[in-house]
Amino acid sequence: FHMREVYARLKLHFEPQAFDKGLGLDFVGGRHAVRTDPLMFERILRNLIANAIRYTERGRVMVACRRRGERLWIQVWDTGIGIAEEHIEAIFDEYFQVGNPQRDRARGLGLGLSIVKRLAKTLGCEVGCRSRPGKGSVFEFRVPLATETAS
């Protein structure tokens, strides 16, 4: 499937939330096509984008795809609160939330990234994160490119 199809659905879903918070929301690399399970793939992206918007108060969220050999590198960038190095591994554990120490259920249960990790594993890829507190984060994973890309 083509990324532009996924991007169109995600943009329709998340643009109002980003707008309400005064955030920019960009999608880059829609010309690429990938070969993976479309439902699991989109669920991963939905969870990553939802978190990016939730934990970003100003700036922007960007979803970008970059070709690297026979794989497509999918990245979700944000200018949010960032994550300290010592928490990077733990954020993929169930119920762990760096940005919700009060455990306010209205801000989620802390299951999104554990779901992302499991779905990525099922697809045969790993999800990673790089982050700087106060500057933002980038979550990334790779999936196989389709043999044909859109023009």
Side-chain angles (χ1 to χ4, degrees):
F1 59 91
H2 289 279
M3 289 302 301
R4 69 175 174 254
E5 298 162 2
V6 176
Y7 279 181
R9 287 189 298 274
L10 295 172
K11 185 175 183 176
L12 189 65
H13 181 81
F14 287 108
E15 210 167 41
Q17 294 171 36
F19 179 81
D20 287 347
K21 290 187 77 173
L23 302 175
L25 179 61
D26 299 310
F27 293 88
V28 179
R31 72 182 183 281
H32 298 290
V34 294
R35 186 175 25 93
T36 192
D37 182 279
L39 295 176
M40 287 192 274
F41 178 85
E42 190 166 329
R43 180 80 185 269
I44 290 171
L45 271 179
R46 281 181 180 275
N47 281 339
L48 293 177
I49 296 167
N51 274 358
I53 292 172
R54 178 178 297 126
Y55 295 111
T56 301
E57 292 304 319
R58 64 180 187 276
R60 65 186 333 94
V61 172
M62 180 178 68
V63 181
C65 300
R66 299 173 188 194
R67 183 181 182 149
R68 295 288 184 255
E70 298 301 313
R71 296 197 157 293
L72 194 63
W73 191 268
I74 315 295
Q75 299 175 313
V76 178
W77 296 79
D78 68 59
T79 56
I81 61 173
I83 303 160
E85 183 69 31
E86 64 266 18
H87 295 304
I88 294 291
E89 290 298 319
I91 62 172
F92 293 100
D93 294 341
E94 291 177 341
Y95 309 113
F96 186 86
Q97 292 175 294
V98 172
N100 188 11
Q102 307 86 352
R103 303 297 302 142
D104 177 6
R105 296 187 112 208
R107 296 194 66 193
L109 298 173
L111 294 173
L113 290 177
S114 65
I115 291 169
V116 163
K117 181 180 177 180
R118 286 189 183 128
L119 289 171
K121 185 176 180 179
T122 301
L123 292 179
C125 60
E126 290 183 23
V127 126
C129 175
R130 292 176 286 138
S131 188
R132 289 182 50 202
K135 300 289 183 186
S137 304
V138 58
F139 286 83
E140 52 199 13
F141 63 102
R142 288 178 245 171
V143 293
L145 274 166
T147 54
E148 178 184 313
T149 57
S151 55

